[in-house]
C-alpha cells in the first residue's frame, strides 16, 4: 500500500514536472532584461528570505554579496547584475 | 580651508576600491526551548549559536566562502566546520565549485536552514542528526542558471566522496544508516549528484526541483559491503508571491526525500550469539510549510507579523534496529524587526513509533528564539 502511494506520488510529481518543463520552453521569451531592477530584487530575494534594504551594505560590499547570491541562489548573470546595480543606486 | 577641501576632494577623486574584498557575514540565534514528553518537562535558555560566514571576493570571477558554527553543547563550545569552498565563474552559465559545500539536494539545507531564514525554530523531520537527507559533501560541482522561454532553469552537477554505510560494527543499532560527513572516501567510487530547478513563470514565483545523489557506500576492503550502493532522490517545490487577495506574502515550501540502499547482511548479537539479518533499507521523509505575512496591512505592527504552519514525516526501514515512524506538526508566529532579524515563537508536537527511545512517544516542544543575519 505504501509503495503504491509512493508510485502514485512519483507519477503525479513527474507529470507536473514535465508540464512545467514544456510550458517553460514553449512560452514566449519575456526578457528578464526588460524588467526593472527593482522588480527583479522584489521577485528573487524573497524566494528565500525577506528583501534586503539597499542601505544594509555599501556599494563595494554589494559587489561581494550579489556575487555570493548569484552562486548560492542560482541567479542568472543578468539578474545578479541588475539587482546589484539597483542596490548600489538606491543606497 | 581651501587646502583641506582640496586634499579631501583629491582623496575622494583618487579613491578606488580594491578588486579583492573580504567580508564577514553570517547569523546567530539565542532563546529558550522546552520539551514535554510522558509527563516530564525539560526547559532551558539557550546560550546561542554563532555562525560566521567568510567571503573573500578575489576578483569578479573568483570567490572563496567558508562557514563555521559555534554552539554550546554539554557546557562546552562545539565548533562545526560547515563548508569551505572556492568558486570560479567560468561564464554566465557555468560556475565551478570545489571543496566542502552545501549539497543542493532539494533546497532546505542549501538555501533555507539558517536560523534567520528558516521560518520556524526547528528543522523538519529527516534533516540534521539522524536525518536521511545529506547536507554537505566534499568534491567538485558545476552549477549555473539560464533564462529559458519566459522562465528560468538552474542546475547543479557534482561529484563527492559520497555517503558511507554504517555496518554496525561499532554500534549494531545503527547498522544500515548512511553517514554523510566523510572527509575520506571509503572506496574508489565517487558519488555523483545533481539538481535541476525549473522556474516556469517570468515572475520567479514558482520553482520545482528534482535532485539525485548516487554512489557506492560500502568499504572497498570488506567483500560483503564493497558493492552496496545508495540511490537518493528528492523533489522540492516553492511558491512565493505577494497576493493582493490576502494582502500579503504567501510562501509555500515542500520537499520529499527518498533513500534506497542495496540490501546487505548485518550482524546483531543480543547476548545469544551473533546472528545475521537483512532488511529492505528504504527511508523517506517530507515536509510541507506554509507561511503568510500581511505585508500590505496599514499597521506597522501587523505587517511585521508572520504566521507559519509546517507538517513533516519521517519513515525509516521497519525491520532495521533504527526503525522509526514519526510525524510532526509545527506552528509559529514571528515578528520581523528588520529584513534579517526575527523574533520567533514556535510550538510543535512530534509523535514517534520506534526511534532511539523505542515504543510510542509524543513530545511537545516550545521554542522562543531571536535570530539575526548579518
Amino acid at each position: 500500500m505504501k509503495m503504491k502511494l509512493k508510485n502514485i506520488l512519483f507519477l503525479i510529481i513527474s507529470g507536473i514536472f514535465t508540464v512545467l518543463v514544456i510550458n517553460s520552453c514553449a512560452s514566449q521569451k519575456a526578457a528578464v532584461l526588460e524588467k526593472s531592477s527593482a522588480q527583479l530584487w522584489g521577485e528573487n530575494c524573497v524566494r528565500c528570505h525577506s528583501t534586503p534594504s539597499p542601505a544594509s551594505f555599501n556599494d563595494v560590499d554589494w559587489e561581494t554579496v550579489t556575487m555570493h547570491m548569484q552562486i548560492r541562489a542560482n541567479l542568472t548573470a543578468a539578474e545578479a547584475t541588475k539587482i546589484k546595480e539597483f542596490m548600489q543606486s538606491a543606497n | 580651508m581651501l587646502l583641506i577641501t582640496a586634499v579631501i576632494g583629491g582623496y575622494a577623486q583618487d579613491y578606488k576600491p580594491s578588486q579583492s574584498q573580504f567580508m564577514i557575514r553570517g547569523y546567530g540565534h539565542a532563546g529558550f526551548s522546552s520539551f514535554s514528553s510522558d509527563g516530564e518537562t525539560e526547559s532551558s535558555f539557550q546560550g546561542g549559536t554563532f555562525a560566521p560566514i567568510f567571503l573573500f571576493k578575489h576578483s569578479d570571477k573568483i570567490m572563496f566562502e567558508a562557514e563555521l558554527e559555534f554552539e554550546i553543547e554539554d557546557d562546552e563550545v562545539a565548533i562545526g566546520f560547515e563548508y569551505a569552498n572556492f568558486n570560479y565563474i567560468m561564464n554566465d552559465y557555468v560556475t565551478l565549485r570545489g571543496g566542502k559545500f552545501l549539497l543542493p539536494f532539494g533546497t532546505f539545507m542549501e538555501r533555507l536552514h539558517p536560523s534567520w531564514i528558516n521560518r520556524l525554530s526547528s528543522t523538519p523531520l529527516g534533516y540534521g542528526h539522524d536525518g536521511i537527507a545529506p547536507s554537505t559533501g566534499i568534491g567538485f560541482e558545476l552549477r549555473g542558471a539560464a533564462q529559458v522561454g519566459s522562465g528560468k532553469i538552474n542546475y547543479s552537477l557534482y561529484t563527492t566522496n559520497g555517503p558511507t554505510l554504517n555496518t554496525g560494527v561499532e554500534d549494531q543499532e545503527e547498522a544500515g544508516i548512511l553517514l554523510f560527513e566523510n572527509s575520506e572516501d571509503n572506496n574508489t567510487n565517487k558519488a555523483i549528484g545533481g539538481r535541476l530547478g525549473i522556474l516556469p513563470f517570468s515572475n520567479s514565483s514558482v520553482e520545482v526541483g528534482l535532485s539525485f545523489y548516487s554512489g557506492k557506500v560500502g568499504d572497498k576492503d570488506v567483500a560483503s559491503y564493497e558493492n552496496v550502493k545508495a540511490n537518493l532522490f528528492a523533489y522540492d517545490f516553492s511558491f512565493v508571491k505577494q497576493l493582493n487577495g490576502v494582502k500579503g506574502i504567501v510562501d509555500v515550501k515542500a520537499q520529499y526525500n527518498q533513500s534506497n540502499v542495496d540490501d546487505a547482511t548485518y550482524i546483531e548479537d543480543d547476548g545469544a550469539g551473533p546472528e545475521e539479518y537483512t532488511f529492505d533499507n528504504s527511508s523517506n521523509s517530507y515536509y510541507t510549510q506554509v507561511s503568510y505575512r500581511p505585508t500590505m496591512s496599514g499597521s506597522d505592527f501587523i505587517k511585521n507579523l508572520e504566521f507559519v504552519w509546517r507538517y513533516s514525516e519521517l519513515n525509516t526501514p521497519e525491520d532495521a534496529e533504527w526503525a522509526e515512524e514519526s510525524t510532526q506538526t509545527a506552528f509559529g508566529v514571528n515578528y520581523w524587526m528588520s529584513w534579517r532579524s526575527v523574533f520567533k515563537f514556535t510550538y510543535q508536537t512530534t509523535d514517534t513509533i520506534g526511534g532511539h527511545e523505542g515504543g510510542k512517544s509524543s513530545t511537545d516542544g516550545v521554542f522562543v528564539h531571536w535570530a539575526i543575519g548579518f
Side-chain angles (χ1 to χ4, degrees), chain B residues 1 44 134 149 173 202 207 281 287 292 307 356:
Chain B
M1 189 65 183
S44 297
E173 289 192 357
S202 62
E207 180 171 3
N281 196 348
Y287 82 93
Y292 165 68
F307 305 92
H356 288 298

Side-chain angles (χ1 to χ4, degrees), chain A residues 10 35 56 68 71-72 79, chain B residues 65 83 143 152 202 235:
Chain A
F10 178 83
K35 288 191 174 189
S56 299
H68 185 226
I71 297 166
R72 173 68 67 85
E79 285 173 333
Chain B
E65 64 159 4
Y83 56 79
R143 60 165 39 213
K152 291 181 292 187
S202 62
Y235 296 109

Side-chain angles (χ1 to χ4, degrees), chain A residues 57, chain B residues 23-28 49-53 116 340 372-374:
Chain A
F57 301 107
Chain B
M23 281 185 83
I24 297 181
R25 298 194 63 202
Y27 56 94
T49 295
F50 168 51
I53 296 172
W116 73 279
R340 53 185 171 172
I372 187 166
F374 52 86

Side-chain angles (χ1 to χ4, degrees), chain B residues 113-361:
Chain B
H113 84 277
S115 53
W116 73 279
I117 296 176
N118 185 1
R119 299 298 198 269
L120 293 165
S121 297
S122 60
T123 55
L125 295 172
Y127 300 88
H129 189 63
D130 289 344
I132 64 163
S135 57
T136 59
I138 298 175
F140 283 87
E141 179 197 36
L142 293 173
R143 60 165 39 213
Q147 190 182 345
V148 179
S150 61
K152 291 181 292 187
I153 60 162
N154 56 64
Y155 70 91
S156 161
L157 193 63
Y158 54 86
T159 177
T160 70
N161 288 335
T164 296
L165 180 70
N166 187 336
T167 55
V169 172
E170 288 180 12
D171 184 352
Q172 63 180 24
E173 289 192 357
E174 304 213 328
I177 287 181
L178 290 182
L179 305 171
F180 296 109
E181 295 285 329
N182 302 309
S183 57
E184 285 184 22
D185 204 346
N186 64 338
N187 55 47
T188 53
N189 172 267
K190 301 302 171 212
I192 57 164
R195 177 179 179 275
L196 177 66
I198 297 176
L199 292 88
F201 306 118
S202 62
N203 61 11
S204 302
S205 59
V206 173
E207 180 171 3
V208 181
L210 176 61
S211 309
F212 76 97
Y213 193 28
S214 176
K216 285 186 180 177
V217 294
D219 194 316
K220 68 177 170 49
D221 296 325
V222 183
S224 52
Y225 298 118
E226 65 177 339
N227 289 318
V228 176
K229 269 187 82 179
N231 293 300
L232 286 73
F233 63 87
Y235 296 109
D236 60 83
F237 173 82
S238 170
F239 170 79
V240 185
K241 197 168 181 353
Q242 179 159 283
L243 300 174
N244 292 335
V246 293
K247 295 186 179 301
I249 293 175
V250 174
D251 186 332
V252 181
K253 296 276 193 294
Q255 184 169 326
Y256 174 83
N257 309 307
Q258 175 78 40
S259 167
N260 299 319
V261 181
D262 287 349
D263 289 351
T265 301
Y266 306 98
I267 296 170
E268 68 176 345
D269 187 349
D270 53 7
E275 221 174 274
E276 291 186 344
Y277 73 105
T278 188
F279 56 89
D280 175 16
N281 196 348
S282 296
S283 305
N284 64 69
S285 73
Y286 70 88
Y287 82 93
T288 305
Q289 178 178 293
V290 181
S291 64
Y292 165 68
R293 185 172 168 190
T295 46
M296 295 165 77
S297 165
S299 160
D300 282 344
F301 176 78
I302 291 174
K303 73 165 65 165
N304 289 327
L305 285 174
E306 184 175 46
F307 305 92
V308 194
W309 169 88
R310 185 185 70 205
Y311 179 81
S312 61
E313 204 170 302
L314 169 66
N315 298 296
T316 58
E318 56 186 336
D319 293 324
E321 296 277 331
W322 39 285
E324 174 180 344
E325 281 182 31
S326 293
T327 60
Q328 184 183 80
T329 307
F331 303 94
V333 179
N334 303 330
Y335 184 80
W336 288 89
M337 285 166 274
S338 73
W339 68 275
R340 53 185 171 172
S341 177
V342 59
F343 188 79
K344 300 191 275 192
F345 173 84
T346 302
Y347 170 78
Q348 71 181 32
T349 179
T350 310
D351 294 317
T352 301
I353 300 172
H356 288 298
E357 308 298 325
K360 215 172 177 180
S361 65

Side-chain angles (χ1 to χ4, degrees), chain A residues 7-79:
Chain A
N7 291 338
I8 291 168
L9 186 69
F10 178 83
L11 283 174
I12 290 171
I13 295 173
S14 300
I16 293 171
F17 206 81
T18 308
V19 169
L20 291 174
V21 171
I22 293 167
N23 175 61
S24 176
C25 296
S27 301
Q28 288 293 309
K29 190 166 183 169
V32 166
L33 287 173
E34 286 170 16
K35 288 191 174 189
S36 75
S37 50
Q39 198 177 352
L40 291 173
W41 163 74
E43 288 175 354
N44 285 282
C45 306
V46 77
R47 284 164 46 204
C48 295
H49 54 73
S50 303
T51 44
S53 159
S56 299
F57 301 107
N58 63 40
D59 289 359
V60 180
D61 286 347
W62 277 121
E63 298 267 352
T64 307
V65 172
T66 49
M67 185 177 178
H68 185 226
M69 284 297 101
Q70 178 185 344
I71 297 166
R72 173 68 67 85
N74 276 326
L75 300 176
T76 66
E79 285 173 333

